């Protein structure tokens, strides 16, 4: 494992859920960013015993007022000097608005001191998956109202549909959704973290997808290949899109979306730092129009992120299979479905802490392709 | 940095405070244990914007009931399979009792399945420092009542006085305090994390001490050398004491006690794993009577812990000096003492995330000596 850190000193505000046991939300995002050298301020939006995929959970949510208070606490002690912000699951529309106000204020501060590019917000608009909303209805317009402040958003396909009001069924509608997000909502960068339309042969029937967002359990079958689609808009707010196809793993894991977001924070910062110096000083780190889609910092970042994800998921899969066999021997005969489900959920927790090498120096196998 | 992890798969329950920004309590303990390969369940007892050394803070405490609920949440999903537990700051006597019940239950479970040594509790009885209590008076008897369930306690000198009711003024009273903790409270292992009595020349006047516990700010001057004193009791509950002397760093840092506790969890597990196989299966990992004080797993663990601490504090000191100079240029003339204090507090946050090598492979310079 290399001792070189990928990013210069970077102070990140991470706003997401906290679980005592397991790896979703801030519990996985904070460690991921810290182990890559970021100084992370972790504002936890809930404290739950475990993630909701277990189908039973205890704990409490943090109110919108408490989120605002904690941020005021940071401000009064001059601890709000953030370079980046990552936001994940936020419980309810009011809390979403509270987090949006924090991001907007940090953005304004950067602009007031005439330092565009000195603050960058990565927003994962956690709302649902596979056509099912798992937050209250009023969270959707709340997120829409925040989009103009975001630099990079990380919706899954369903969330991209909700934000763009475009039903994604083929490559044309996928492109249309990206256009709306760039043009109507002025979001400079977007990565769709799970796309079920076949990006290899447009207009074919969409296979069912593997989710990569947390806070959700799924029994969907997995296609052999998945795609991540990314785009950085041009100065005319037109898409510059790329896709990265990678082999799917036939298992459902919670927390992958949160790990994806945390890695994107680090790798985006890394890619921008190693690009032309001026890029980091440009608002929203928008590459000049002559930069091709597959040469975008966003594409370079996404390649590394997927490489790390693939290695960690592989490691999780291997240890999970061993665990599940043990569990089946122990409980398989008893027909106690709940007990089996709980044991499987625990076995599927991402195996991160013992695979730091996969975070730091992943082997990049899957490359971005022009769309 | 080595990719070898010091411990086999180890599941730890960490109960302590959480701060959004900075490094005390679980914010430093969880990352420390995770980056050394532990699967950590983090039960946060507060969520504050920052540590109290800043002299202003926003956030909320978690009630005793919420702590119990979160643990019940773990139990109902069979997530209470912990190998070790680390407890730090707990707000109030009721919450201390709630945490004590969790530890006692985990201990009983290990004993019920006839697996002594399969659960080990490291208790940092956070109560005060430098002769000053910074918790409510009724927290002291609450901690006393928990001691019989603890395997290793990590009091500073003042906390050891409170627990043993022995005023520590010289080597004789120090030894007496350790005797009381082993014999009256049946605590198998103790490490006094900051000792001001001169362990080199007994009965000299105690120099003022540098605290190594968190949640406290101090202007005390630092002696040139500090000691950590440890002891593992014999089968007759007699002390087997060692000391490790190390050069003091002339600055106050918050979170060092929490980092010390987290490192002790890992290094104690490591030392016991590499000792005779049967030791890990012995209740409280009590070494046979013929093991000399300086050969104890506790002594080996403490040596490595101090080595890591020393390297991280050194790194923090260096970067802090640069920071403080900048601050003085910026605010020194304004006589705004509050602004200076806040800036200094931020500059003194432990520099951990960019010094993983110091956690993993520290250079052991300071060795345990027989007392």
């Amino acid at each position: 494992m290399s001792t070189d850190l990928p990013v210069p000193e970077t102070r990140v505000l991470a706003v997401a859920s906290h679980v005592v046991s397991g790896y979703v939300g801030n519990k996985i995002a904070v460690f991921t960013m810290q182990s890559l050298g970021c100084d992370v301020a972790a504002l936890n939006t809930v404290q739950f015993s475990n993630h909701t995929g277990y189908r039973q959970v205890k704990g409490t949510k943090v109110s919108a007022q408490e989120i605002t208070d904690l941020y005021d606490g940071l401000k009064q002690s001059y601890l709000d000097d953030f370079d980046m912000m990552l936001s994940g699951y936020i419980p309810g529309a009011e809390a979403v608005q509270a987090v949006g106000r924090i991001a907007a204020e940090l953005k304004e501060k950067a602009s007031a001191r005439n330092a565009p590019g000195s603050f960058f917000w990565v927003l994962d608009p956690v709302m649902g998956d596979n056509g099912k909303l798992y937050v209250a209805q009023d969270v959707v317009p709340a997120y829409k109202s925040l989009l103009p402040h975001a630099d990079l958003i990380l919706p899954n396909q369903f969330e991209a549909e909700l934000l763009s009001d475009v039903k994604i069924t083929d490559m044309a509608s996928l492109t249309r959704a990206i256009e709306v997000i760039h043009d109507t909502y002025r979001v400079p960068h977007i990565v769709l973290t799970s796309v079920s339309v076949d990006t290899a042969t447009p207009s074919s029937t969409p296979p069912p997808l593997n989710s990569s967002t947390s806070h959700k359990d799924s029994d969907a079958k997995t296609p052999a290949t998945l795609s991540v689609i990314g785009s950085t808009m041009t100065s005319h707010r037109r898409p510059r899109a790329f896709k990265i196809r990678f082999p799917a793993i036939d298992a459902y894991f919670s927390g992958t979306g949160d790990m994806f977001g945390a890695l994107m924070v680090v790798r985006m910062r890394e890619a921008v730092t190693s690009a032309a110096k001026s890029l980091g000083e440009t608002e929203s780190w928008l590459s000049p129009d002559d930069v091709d889609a597959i040469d975008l910092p966003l594409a370079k970042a996404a390649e590394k992120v997927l490489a790390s994800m693939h290695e960690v998921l592989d490691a999780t899969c291997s240890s999970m299979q061993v665990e599940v066999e043990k569990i089946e021997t122990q409980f398989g005969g008893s027909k106690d479905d709940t007990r089996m489900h709980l044991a499987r959920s625990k076995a599927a927790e991402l195996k991160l802490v013992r695979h730091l090498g996969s975070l730091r120096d992943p082997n990049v196998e899957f490359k971005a392709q022009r769309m």
Side-chain angles (χ1 to χ4, degrees), chain A:
Chain A
M1 193 187 324
S2 157
T3 51
D4 297 336
L5 293 166
V7 287
E9 299 223 354
T10 302
R11 202 160 142 74
V12 184
L13 174 61
V15 184
S17 52
H18 173 74
V19 287
V20 176
S21 182
Y23 296 94
V24 305
N26 262 353
K27 187 74 179 300
I28 195 164
V30 173
F31 177 71
T32 299
M33 293 187 286
Q34 285 177 328
S35 61
L36 292 170
C38 297
D39 176 20
V40 184
L43 202 166
N44 297 334
T45 55
V46 309
Q47 177 165 220
F48 284 170
S49 53
N50 49 269
H51 70 71
T52 54
Y54 286 82
R55 298 181 196 148
Q56 55 184 21
V57 57
K58 298 208 177 200
T60 49
K61 295 180 179 181
V62 171
S63 70
Q65 187 59 52
E66 280 171 278
I67 291 171
T68 303
D69 284 349
L70 285 168
Y71 179 67
D72 287 346
L74 297 178
K75 269 203 299 189
Q76 74 175 356
S77 292
Y78 305 93
L79 297 168
D80 57 340
D81 54 337
F82 298 110
D83 303 298
M84 299 184 77
M85 174 166 158
L86 171 66
S87 62
Y89 175 72
I90 306 164
E94 247 191 281
V96 168
Q97 295 289 6
V99 172
R101 276 192 298 274
I102 294 171
E105 195 175 309
L106 289 168
K107 203 99 206 223
E108 268 161 42
K109 236 180 44 170
S111 141
R113 67 171 181 266
N114 214 352
S118 67
F119 175 73
F120 191 97
W121 179 21
V122 178
L123 164 63
D124 183 0
V126 181
M127 293 185 289
D129 205 357
N130 296 319
K132 244 172 80 183
L133 206 61
Y134 43 81
V135 294
Q137 198 71 51
D138 61 348
V139 168
V140 182
Y143 269 118
K144 279 187 178 174
S145 75
L146 304 191
L147 289 182
H149 303 297
D151 297 293
L152 164 59
I153 65 169
L154 306 173
N156 57 33
Q157 180 171 323
F158 176 60
E159 289 158 347
E161 290 177 343
L162 290 170
L163 294 175
S164 65
D165 293 305
V166 175
K167 176 86 190 148
I168 299 173
T169 54
D170 52 19
M171 288 301 285
S173 52
L174 174 63
T175 305
R176 179 73 198 126
I178 294 173
E179 283 171 353
V180 169
I181 286 165
H182 282 328
D183 196 46
T184 310
Y185 292 102
R186 303 183 174 232
V187 178
H189 310 271
I190 177 172
V191 175
L192 280 115
T193 56
S194 68
V195 173
S196 66
V197 301
D198 190 337
T199 57
T201 43
S203 87
S204 74
T205 317
L209 86 176
N210 183 12
S211 162
S212 62
T213 335
S214 64
H215 297 281
K216 183 77 176 40
D217 199 38
S218 161
D219 299 316
K221 274 251 176 320
T222 310
T225 302
L226 287 172
S227 296
V228 153
I229 309 286
S231 173
T232 293
M233 70 183 191
T234 64
S235 58
H236 300 91
R237 299 208 296 271
R238 299 289 308 155
R240 253 181 297 190
F242 61 87
K243 65 180 173 197
I244 309 177
R245 306 185 80 222
F246 56 97
I249 290 176
D250 187 17
Y252 180 80
F253 301 105
S254 293
T256 51
D258 307 306
M259 185 178 156
F260 190 97
L263 286 168
M264 275 306 293
V265 164
V266 175
R267 297 304 178 184
M268 191 65 187
R269 170 90 162 174
E270 177 188 44
V272 167
T273 305
S274 53
K277 191 181 168 289
S278 58
L279 184 60
E281 291 159 12
T282 307
E283 195 177 348
S284 296
W285 303 348
L286 257 190
S287 296
D289 287 353
D290 61 357
V291 175
D292 194 31
I294 58 170
D295 297 324
L296 289 168
L298 190 70
K300 297 290 155 209
E303 284 173 352
K304 277 206 181 174
V305 168
L306 281 174
S308 286
M309 299 280 310
H310 196 72
E311 291 185 17
V312 169
L313 292 180
D314 245 9
T316 304
C317 244
S318 308
S319 80
M320 189 177 68
Q321 275 155 2
V322 177
E323 267 307 297
V324 165
E325 272 169 38
K326 271 197 236 164
I327 299 159
E328 278 171 353
T329 313
Q330 209 180 342
F331 306 108
S334 74
K335 293 194 178 124
D336 182 347
D337 287 349
T338 303
R339 184 71 188 84
M340 274 299 293
H341 172 73
L342 294 172
R344 276 176 202 274
S345 299
K346 180 164 183 279
E349 293 281 5
L350 294 178
K351 296 287 174 294
L352 193 63
V353 295
R354 297 180 79 85
H355 295 98
L356 271 183
S358 297
L359 290 187
R360 290 205 160 188
D361 290 309
N363 182 22
V364 175
E365 281 179 78
F366 319 113
K367 293 286 204 172
Q369 298 166 273
R370 215 169 285 108
M371 255 174 60

